[in-house]
Amino acid sequence: MPQFLSTTDADFEQRFSAVLAAKREDSPDVDDVVSGIIADVRARGDVAVLELTAKFDRMQIDADQIRLSDAEIDAEIAKVSDEEQHALELAAERIRAYHTRQMPSDEMWTDPDGATLGWRWTPVSAAGLYVPGGLASYPSSVLMNAVPAKVAGVERLAMVVPTPDGIINPLVMMAARVAGVDEVYRIGGAQAVAALAYGTETIAPVDKITGPGNAFVAAAKRRVFGKVGIDMIAGPSEILVIADGDNDADWIALDLMSQAEHDESAQSLLITTDAAFGQAVADAVTVRLETLERREIAGASWRDFGAIITVRDLDEAARLCDRIAPEHLELCVADPEALSDKITHAGAIFLGQWTPEAIGDYVGGPNHVLPTARSARFSSGLSVLDFLKRTTLAKMSPEALRAIGPAAEVLATSESLEAHGLSVTARLRKLNG
Ligand code: NAD
C-alpha cells in the first residue's frame, strides 16, 4: 500500500518532506570500476572494447564487427512488422514536427551606440547516442534522442547499443534508420561511452553524448563530461497526477502504474481534492497489480515510494506540485489549462483526462527525456538546444568604440590588465587623431 497523506494532518509537513526526500536510487559504488574501464579504453582502444564486450555482453567479436553493416541492419529491419513500422514512422514524424518548431533564430541588431550585436546557432558536428540494451530495448529512446539531433543539423550521429549474447533488437535498428542515425555500434556500458568520448581505431570521437543507461553508463557520462558535452544524468522515472473526483479511478490507476512499472525505484504520486476518490484509485491499483505483467516491479515501486495526498483545493495542489517538481505531471481536472498556469516546476505537463502520460512517451511529439529527482526546478527535457551551440557576434563602428571604449579602459585599469586597456586606447588615439 502507498502512503496516504492529507494536508489537514498535523504531521503533514513532516511526512510530505519524507516523500520528497525518499532516497530512491540504489547507487552502488560503480565509479572505481568505470574509471578503470575508461582508462583501459583510452589506452588500448578497440582491444579493450572487445575484451569488455566479451566479458559483460558475452559476445566474442572482431574489431571489424564492432560497427553494424548496412546489410546487417537491413536484415534486422526486415523482421519488423508493418504495424510496428507504421507506428515508429508516425512517432518519428510527430517528434520531428515538434522539434522543428523548437529551432531558435539567429539575431543581429545595431544598438543606439552604433554597436552591431547578435548571436547565431550552430549544431555540434558529431553526437553519440547511447541506447540501453542490457535488460530491455527502447526504440522510443532512439527516436527521442536521434530526431532532435538531426533536426538541429548534427552531421554525424553515432549510436551505441549493447547486444548481449549477440541479440539485436530489430525495432531499435528500424528506429535508428527512421531517425537518420549514421553509424551503429554493437557495444554498451562504460566502454561504449569512453569509445565515443575518446575514440578508438574503429570509432571516431564525438562532441556530445546523450541517452539514458544504467549506473555504469551514468557514471561514465559524468566522467567524460568536459571532454565531451552530455545531456543529463536521468534517474528513476516519476509521475504526479493531480485529479479531482470526476475521473475514472481505473484510468488514473493505470497512469500511476505506467511509471511504476519502469523501475522499483520509480515514484508515482496522486494529489486529489477528493479523499474518497484517492481511496478508489488505491483500490483500482490493487486490482491492476494482480494481473499486470510487470506487477513485481510496479508493486514494489508503489509500495515503497507511492503516495496519495488529499488537498483542500487545487491552489494547494499547485503549491505542492512545485515543491515536487515532477518529471511527468498529469492534470486530470475540469480546467487543466488554468491549473497549469499556476505551476512553475515540472518536466512535462499532460493536460486533461484524454492525455495519458504514455502518449508523451511515444507519439505526442514533445521529448520523453526529462529531468528527474526534482531537477525540473532548474533544467528542462532534451530538445534541439542540446545539440546546438550559440556563438555571440559583436561589431563596433568607430562611433561605437568612441562611445563605449573609455568605460572598457577604466574597467581594464581597475582589473590591472594593462594590455586590455591599451588595445582600446590605441584605437581611440587613432580615431581622435
Ligand atoms: P544498459 O545498456 O544501460 O547497460 C548494459 C551495459 O552495462 C552492459 O553492456 C555492460 O557493459 C554494463 N555492465 C553491466 N554490468 C556491469 C558490471 N558489473 N561492470 C561493468 N559494466 C557493467 O542497459 P540496462 O542495464 O538494461 O539499463 C538501462 C537503464 O536505462 C535502466 O536503468 C532504465 O530504467 C534506463 N532507461 C531510462 C530511460 C529514460 O528516459 N530515463 C529510458 C530508457 C531506459
Side-chain angles (χ1 to χ4, degrees):
M1 265 292 144
Q3 293 196 54
F4 285 84
L5 289 74
S6 167
T7 50
T8 54
D9 294 342
D11 61 351
F12 175 76
E13 261 310 313
Q14 192 186 338
R15 292 184 62 209
F16 182 67
S17 299
V19 169
L20 285 187
K23 180 158 170 39
R24 297 189 280 127
E25 205 158 14
D26 214 17
S27 37
D29 192 13
V30 298
D31 215 36
D32 285 350
V33 178
V34 165
S35 85
I37 290 175
I38 293 173
D40 196 13
V41 173
R42 287 184 74 175
R44 297 194 299 139
D46 281 348
V47 173
V49 169
L50 291 171
E51 280 179 22
L52 291 159
T53 301
K55 180 173 172 189
F56 294 119
D57 297 334
R58 304 166 299 281
M59 210 174 52
Q60 300 282 351
I61 51 169
D62 298 326
D64 61 1
Q65 294 172 300
I66 294 177
R67 179 167 175 182
L68 274 89
S69 68
D70 284 347
E72 278 177 292
I73 296 172
D74 288 342
E76 292 303 323
I77 287 177
K79 298 174 191 165
V80 175
S81 71
D82 286 351
E83 191 184 27
E84 287 170 325
Q85 178 175 347
H86 291 144
L88 270 181
E89 285 171 350
L90 176 102
E93 231 167 80
R94 295 188 55 85
I95 296 164
R96 195 171 293 121
Y98 182 90
H99 288 80
T100 299
R101 292 185 75 122
Q102 269 180 347
M103 283 297 282
S105 332
D106 297 347
E107 297 281 349
M108 203 79 192
W109 68 93
T110 301
D111 73 13
D113 288 317
T116 302
L117 304 172
W119 59 74
R120 66 159 194 248
W121 295 91
T122 48
V124 300
S125 300
L129 159 55
Y130 190 92
V131 177
L135 307 172
S137 290
Y138 306 93
S140 59
S141 285
V142 178
L143 298 183
M144 292 291 179
N145 283 271
V147 170
K150 281 295 175 186
V151 168
V154 174
E155 210 166 288
R156 176 177 162 247
L157 184 55
M159 175 176 125
V160 292
V161 55
T163 57
D165 301 305
I167 297 164
I168 301 170
N169 182 289
L171 267 182
V172 166
M173 294 302 131
M174 170 67 89
R177 179 66 58 79
V178 167
V181 169
D182 300 293
E183 302 161 19
V184 182
Y185 300 96
R186 64 183 108 216
I187 56 171
Q191 58 275 20
V193 174
L196 286 173
Y198 292 99
T200 69
E201 298 85 333
T202 304
I203 305 176
V206 301
D207 303 303
K208 176 126 190 184
I209 300 176
T210 70
N214 65 13
F216 297 94
V217 173
K221 279 174 70 179
R222 272 197 191 95
R223 279 197 166 260
V224 300
F225 176 65
K227 170 74 173 80
V228 295
I230 61 169
D231 53 343
M232 65 178 89
I233 304 292
S237 296
E238 299 152 9
I239 186 170
L240 167 62
V241 181
I242 300 180
D244 56 27
D246 196 14
N247 275 283
D248 184 321
D250 185 50
W251 292 9
I252 304 299
L254 286 168
D255 296 353
L256 293 167
M257 289 304 100
S258 74
Q259 291 309 298
E261 73 178 355
H262 267 300
D263 196 327
E264 290 185 1
S265 311
Q267 185 168 50
S268 302
L269 304 174
L270 170 64
I271 294 182
T272 181
T273 44
D274 182 333
F277 179 73
Q279 184 58 55
V281 171
D283 294 343
V285 169
T286 303
V287 173
R288 286 290 182 178
L289 281 176
E290 283 167 18
T291 55
L292 275 179
E293 272 176 29
R294 293 170 72 100
R295 56 185 170 273
E296 296 291 330
I297 295 171
S301 154
W302 184 235
R303 180 193 65 224
D304 294 340
F305 303 113
I308 295 177
I309 303 169
T310 306
V311 290
R312 295 178 185 87
D313 55 36
L314 291 177
D315 283 342
E316 198 168 47
R319 287 195 295 276
L320 291 183
C321 172
D322 270 345
R323 291 174 65 188
I324 295 167
E327 178 189 17
H328 305 103
L329 171 64
E330 273 187 23
L331 302 180
C332 298
V333 296
D335 189 351
E337 286 83 0
L339 181 54
S340 167
D341 286 346
K342 294 178 182 162
I343 287 159
T344 312
H345 306 309
I349 302 182
F350 302 89
L351 299 151
Q353 60 181 355
W354 297 103
T355 322
E357 183 277 329
I359 285 294
D361 279 340
Y362 298 112
V363 292
N367 211 284
H368 80 193
V369 181
L370 293 164
T372 58
R374 306 188 57 227
S375 58
R377 288 172 298 130
F378 56 80
S379 65
S380 320
L382 196 72
S383 76
V384 292
L385 297 181
D386 288 281
F387 299 98
L388 293 168
K389 310 152 285 119
R390 193 181 52 244
T391 302
T392 60
L393 301 161
K395 182 181 183 187
M396 294 302 113
S397 62
E399 300 72 45
L401 192 68
R402 231 187 237 123
I404 66 175
E409 288 176 299
V410 170
L411 293 173
T413 304
S414 68
E415 291 186 357
S416 303
L417 292 173
E418 189 186 7
H420 282 62
L422 288 175
S423 72
V424 177
T425 308
R427 288 173 170 83
L428 287 178
R429 280 210 183 110
K430 170 92 176 166
L431 280 179
N432 296 330

